[in-house]
């Protein structure tokens, strides 16, 4: 190499100019995805190049991607002793079976006497908009004594109390953590309050009549108007000293008592002083919480215990801030912190909606139903997603046949969304110096949608990823407008309906990689998915309803928008 001056800039191998086509490979090596390789010529102004496309198929509606919190490791609804384990427990049950029979008779007798006394107290009382007359309240003492006997029959022979209830004038509202069906019975005896309960409780045999005597405030948790009306009733009754104090369980459901879940705001919106109450059930062999366990089994276990322990602690009254107008959210946070501190537990973002998801997953025989909880209070506040919408998304996810770990692979994902692993093909012009080059961008449509929600790129998605991804797409400010424009774009003849042919013409760019037979089959499957009422055509209601149930499918219409642009 003598005589050659070396430097760090001159290439060692010189490539002479060539008019031969270049081969450019685009490889996607993420798990679950097939590698893609294509070739094309790249010479002259009319040459085409293959460029990697954006990984986000929802950029056209303003999405910039999303993140998913890590999986939760706690289950606030798990009962630690759902089964009878150990020699001691079996021995205790055998010994207590005769006692349980006596307890069951006492329970039934007290329930019947209390029911008859309540019927007498309610007889002829029609003015339900005003407080119950005093003589009727005195008759209800019979029922209150019966409820104490019912607690005795369940094994609560004595109940440890700490602190004292504040006067009705000091704290017109009482809130408590909710662990079992025992607390409402106890508070009925102890305070005889007005309670807030689900409308479904009114139809319960015997119990419904007794609840009505408490001048109950009924609420349908899934109806915004019902919740608003319930808040107004809470405010009205809390402001009137002739009514009993108002009792609420702000968690909205029972937990296992080892943590507290998010609070509903009904008790805090009126802005009255609140007395928090903490209920504990110390135990070693038998967990008394009404978590994910049947009522019959829980009652049987209670009847067959020597004694069940219960502790009730009345905490100091918490008042709204006097110096500045305190929001209901902050008021609820302070109250939740006081209860959590007294229990020495943490408060999570789980809610009643998580119990619904857990129950639905359990009914579908999932191996680990707890993995389907997503801390719905956080989801609702972030994405404004309702409980029923989350349950619908879970039904869709369960139809994808998740594996024992609760994950779905791409072929099942595409099967349920009626998609095939085809690519989007777009032609884009780009300028380079004085020349304009035409590029073809190829995107795998179904794979790209899957890759969008597969945030950790593992080749499979969890329900939490599926829910967060779907909710993220629905939350985009242009999502609703994109649905409207997509329908208008498909309805080429202007008859307010979309035919199978019109749908094919609109989303053809999204599935252009299929042969003719596969293309027609794909169009028919997508058409049947959108045709929710099965009348052979897609109305605007059908179209928007389908996209709300399957918001990820809005990506099918992105090529139409971009082509039009």
């Amino acid at each position: 190499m003598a005589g050659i001056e070396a430097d760090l800039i001159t290439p060692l191998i010189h490539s002479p100019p060539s008019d031969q086509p270049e081969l450019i490979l685009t490889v996607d090596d993420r798990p679950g995805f097939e590698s893609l390789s294509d070739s094309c010529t790249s010479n002259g102004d009319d040459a085409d190049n293959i460029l990697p496309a954006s990984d986000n198929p929802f950029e056209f509606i303003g999405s910039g991607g999303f993140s998913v919190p890590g999986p939760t490791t706690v289950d606030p609804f798990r009962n630690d002793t759902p089964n009878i384990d150990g020699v001691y427990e079996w021995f205790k049950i055998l010994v207590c079976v005769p006692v349980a029979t006596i307890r069951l008779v006492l329970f039934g007798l007290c329930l019947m006497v209390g029911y008859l006394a309540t019927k007498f107290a309610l007889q002829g009382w029609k003015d339900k908009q005003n407080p119950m007359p005093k003589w009727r309240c005195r008759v209800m003492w019979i029922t209150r004594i019966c409820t104490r006997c019912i607690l005795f029959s369940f094994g609560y022979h004595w109940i440890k109390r700490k602190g004292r209830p504040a006067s009705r004038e000091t704290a017109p509202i009482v809130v408590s953590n909710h662990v079992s069906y025992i607390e409402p019975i106890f508070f009925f005896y102890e305070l005889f309050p007005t309670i807030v309960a689900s409308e479904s409780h009114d139809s319960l045999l015997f119990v419904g009549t007794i609840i009505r005597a408490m001048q109950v405030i009924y609420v349908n948790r899934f109806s915004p108007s019902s919740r608003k009306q319930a808040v107004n009733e809470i405010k009205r009754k809390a402001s009137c000293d002739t009514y009993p104090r108002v009792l609420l369980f702000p968690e909205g459901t029972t937990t296992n008592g080892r943590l507290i879940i998010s609070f509903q705001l009904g008790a805090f919106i009126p802005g009255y002083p609140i007395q928090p109450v903490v209920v504990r059930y110390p135990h070693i062999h038998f967990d008394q919480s009404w978590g994910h366990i049947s009522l019959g089994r829980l009652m049987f276990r209670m009847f067959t215990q020597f004694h069940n322990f219960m502790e009730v602690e009345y905490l100091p009254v918490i008042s709204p801030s006097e110096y500045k107008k305190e929001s209901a959210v902050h008021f609820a946070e302070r109250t939740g912190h006081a209860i959590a501190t007294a229990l020495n537990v943490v408060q999570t973002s789980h809610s009643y909606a998580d119990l619904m998801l857990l129950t639905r997953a359990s009914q579908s025989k999932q191996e680990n139903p707890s993995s389907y909880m997503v801390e719905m209070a956080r989801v609702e506040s972030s994405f404004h997603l309702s409980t029923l919408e989350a349950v619908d998304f879970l039904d869709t996810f369960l139809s994808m046949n998740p594996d024992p770990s609760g994950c779905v692979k791409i072929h099942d994902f595409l099967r349920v969304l009626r998609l095939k692993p085809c690519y989007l093909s777009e032609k884009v012009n780009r300028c380079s110096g004085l020349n304009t080059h035409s590029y073809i961008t190829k995107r795998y449509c179904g794979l790209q949608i899957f890759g969008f929600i597969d945030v950790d790129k593992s080749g499979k998605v969890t329900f939490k990823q599926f829910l967060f991804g779907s909710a993220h797409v629905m939350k985009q400010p242009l999502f609703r407008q994109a649905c409207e424009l997509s329908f208008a774009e498909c309805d080429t003849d202007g008859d307010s309906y979309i035919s199978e042919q019109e749908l094919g013409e609109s989303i053809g760019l999204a599935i252009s990689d299929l042969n003719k037979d596969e293309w027609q089959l794909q169009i028919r499957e997508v058409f049947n998915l959108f045709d929710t009422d099965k009348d052979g055509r897609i109305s605007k209601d059908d179209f928007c309803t389908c996209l709300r149930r399957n918001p990820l499918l809005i990506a099918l219409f992105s090529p139409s928008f971009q082509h039009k642009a």
Side-chain angles (χ1 to χ4, degrees):
M1 302 292 295
I4 299 179
E5 186 177 359
D7 59 55
L8 299 178
I9 300 176
T10 305
L12 296 179
I13 301 177
H14 294 273
S15 299
S18 173
D19 294 333
Q20 299 300 317
E22 289 185 12
L23 176 64
I24 300 177
L25 300 179
T26 303
V27 180
D28 192 341
D29 60 353
R30 289 174 292 180
F33 292 83
E34 296 179 356
S35 296
L36 172 66
S37 62
D38 291 289
S39 61
C40 57
T41 58
S42 59
N43 185 34
D45 294 343
D46 297 328
D48 294 330
N49 290 279
I50 300 299
L51 293 179
S54 168
D55 286 335
N56 185 354
F58 303 100
E59 282 181 341
F60 75 107
I61 58 172
S63 168
F66 70 103
S67 61
V68 179
T72 57
T73 58
V74 295
D75 181 355
F77 310 109
R78 182 172 62 87
N79 185 291
D80 275 348
T81 59
N83 301 314
I84 303 172
D85 297 321
V87 176
Y88 173 73
E89 277 299 296
W90 280 107
F91 172 77
K92 182 170 56 176
I93 289 175
L94 292 175
V95 171
C96 289
V97 164
V99 179
T101 304
I102 299 173
R103 288 176 172 177
L104 183 60
V105 172
L106 176 62
F107 167 77
L109 181 63
C110 292
L111 184 61
M112 183 59 65
V113 173
Y115 171 75
L116 294 176
T118 304
K119 288 287 287 186
F120 178 75
L122 294 177
Q123 188 66 34
W125 183 41
K126 298 180 180 179
D127 187 14
K128 303 295 178 64
Q129 294 301 313
N130 290 311
M132 178 181 283
K134 289 185 177 180
W135 74 267
R136 296 181 186 272
C137 292
R138 294 190 182 99
V139 173
M140 287 303 299
W141 264 106
I142 300 175
T143 307
R144 294 175 70 176
I145 293 173
C146 287
T147 57
R148 183 61 187 94
C149 294
I150 288 175
L151 290 174
F152 188 89
S153 71
F154 278 122
Y156 299 95
H157 308 126
W158 64 86
I159 298 173
K160 182 179 178 181
R161 294 172 177 82
K162 182 178 179 181
R164 301 184 63 180
S167 65
R168 168 59 174 89
E169 293 75 19
T170 303
I173 298 177
V174 176
V175 298
S176 171
N177 62 316
H178 201 6
V179 180
S180 181
Y181 60 86
I182 295 298
E183 299 103 46
I185 302 175
F186 170 81
F187 285 119
F188 180 89
Y189 165 72
E190 181 95 343
L191 303 176
F192 190 54
T194 292
I195 65 169
V196 179
S198 172
E199 292 176 344
S200 60
H201 292 169
D202 186 67
S203 60
L204 295 175
L205 185 63
F206 301 126
V207 177
T209 300
I210 297 175
I211 287 178
R212 284 194 292 274
M214 300 174 73
Q215 303 171 78
V216 62
I217 300 172
Y218 287 117
V219 61
N220 179 355
R221 69 177 83 223
F222 303 118
S223 170
S225 60
S226 177
R227 294 197 301 268
K228 183 178 180 180
Q229 183 178 358
V231 170
N232 292 334
E233 277 295 290
I234 293 170
K235 188 173 184 178
R236 183 178 75 86
K237 293 186 176 181
S239 64
C240 181
D241 291 337
T242 54
Y243 275 104
R245 70 194 82 203
V246 182
L247 169 68
L248 297 98
F249 299 102
E251 292 171 292
T253 187
T254 55
T255 67
N256 56 24
R258 288 180 289 280
L259 46 80
I260 59 175
I261 61 177
S262 61
F263 280 4
Q264 303 298 309
L265 301 180
F268 309 97
I269 293 175
Y272 289 102
I274 287 176
Q275 182 172 32
V277 183
V278 167
V279 180
R280 304 180 185 89
Y281 297 90
H283 68 277
I284 298 176
H285 301 286
F286 167 51
D287 183 358
Q288 302 155 60
S289 65
W290 191 10
H292 197 54
I293 184 175
S294 67
L295 177 60
R297 176 175 294 188
L298 187 62
M299 291 179 66
F300 174 77
R301 296 294 302 277
M302 284 186 176
F303 281 136
T304 54
Q305 302 295 312
F306 295 128
H307 174 76
N308 290 311
F309 292 90
M310 180 179 181
E311 298 176 357
V312 180
E313 180 180 359
Y314 293 93
L315 302 180
V317 174
I318 300 178
S319 300
S321 175
E322 297 179 357
Y323 299 101
K324 58 182 179 179
K325 189 174 182 180
E326 185 176 33
S327 68
V329 174
H330 189 257
F331 193 14
E333 288 176 352
R334 286 202 296 129
T335 306
H337 178 73
I339 293 177
T341 301
L343 288 170
N344 194 26
V345 299
V346 298
Q347 185 171 19
T348 71
S349 296
H350 293 88
S351 70
Y352 175 75
D354 287 285
L355 179 60
M356 292 186 64
L357 297 174
L358 173 69
T359 303
R360 185 63 61 91
S362 180
Q363 290 172 348
S364 66
K365 309 299 182 183
Q366 296 303 307
E367 189 168 307
N368 185 17
S370 299
S371 65
Y372 291 87
M373 293 188 294
V374 295
E375 295 192 85
M376 269 299 296
R378 180 185 300 171
V379 176
E380 289 173 354
S381 63
S382 300
F383 300 110
H384 307 292
L385 190 74
S386 71
T387 299
L388 296 180
E389 287 176 322
V391 173
D392 286 340
F393 281 126
L394 177 59
D395 289 337
T396 301
F397 187 82
L398 292 176
S399 66
M400 298 176 183
N401 297 327
D403 60 25
S405 66
C407 297
V408 165
K409 295 184 178 179
I410 188 167
H411 60 277
D412 288 316
F413 175 85
L414 297 178
R415 172 181 55 80
V416 171
L417 293 184
R418 315 290 176 87
L419 299 176
K420 295 185 181 297
C422 55
Y423 59 72
L424 274 74
S425 180
E426 301 176 39
K427 193 169 184 177
V428 183
N429 291 324
R430 291 190 181 181
C431 295
S432 176
L434 300 176
N435 299 322
T436 299
H437 300 277
S438 181
Y439 298 88
I440 291 180
T441 301
K442 293 191 176 181
R443 315 187 207 179
Y444 280 78
C445 182
L447 303 183
Q448 197 179 20
I449 295 174
F450 183 86
F452 175 77
I453 61 175
D454 179 19
V455 292
D456 56 4
K457 308 308 176 191
S458 64
K460 51 188 179 181
V461 297
T462 63
F463 171 65
K464 195 169 190 177
Q465 292 173 335
F466 178 73
L467 179 69
F468 271 67
S470 300
H472 166 78
V473 172
M474 288 178 60
K475 186 187 177 183
Q476 296 309 305
L478 296 179
F479 175 75
R480 188 180 296 272
Q481 183 180 359
C483 293
E484 301 275 347
L485 294 176
S486 296
F487 181 83
E489 182 72 15
C490 293
D491 182 23
T492 55
D493 58 7
D495 64 350
S496 299
Y497 291 96
I498 299 174
S499 65
E500 185 175 327
Q501 180 180 353
E502 289 174 325
L503 182 67
E505 292 172 353
S506 179
I507 67 173
L509 286 175
I511 55 176
S512 59
D513 191 42
L514 301 176
N515 61 45
K516 183 177 181 181
D517 292 337
E518 290 178 336
W519 187 89
Q520 291 177 343
L521 179 61
Q522 173 76 97
I523 294 297
R524 186 170 298 111
E525 289 180 351
V526 175
F527 179 85
N528 291 335
L529 183 64
F530 275 86
D531 183 17
T532 56
D533 56 7
K534 306 305 177 186
D535 62 351
R537 56 183 184 177
I538 302 173
S539 66
K540 190 173 184 178
D541 287 340
D542 292 340
F543 190 83
C544 294
T545 298
C546 181
L547 286 178
R548 283 196 63 82
R549 290 177 180 173
N550 307 280
L552 300 176
L553 290 181
I554 193 67
L556 291 177
F557 301 92
S558 63
S560 178
F561 281 95
Q562 295 167 350
H563 178 74
K564 191 173 182 179

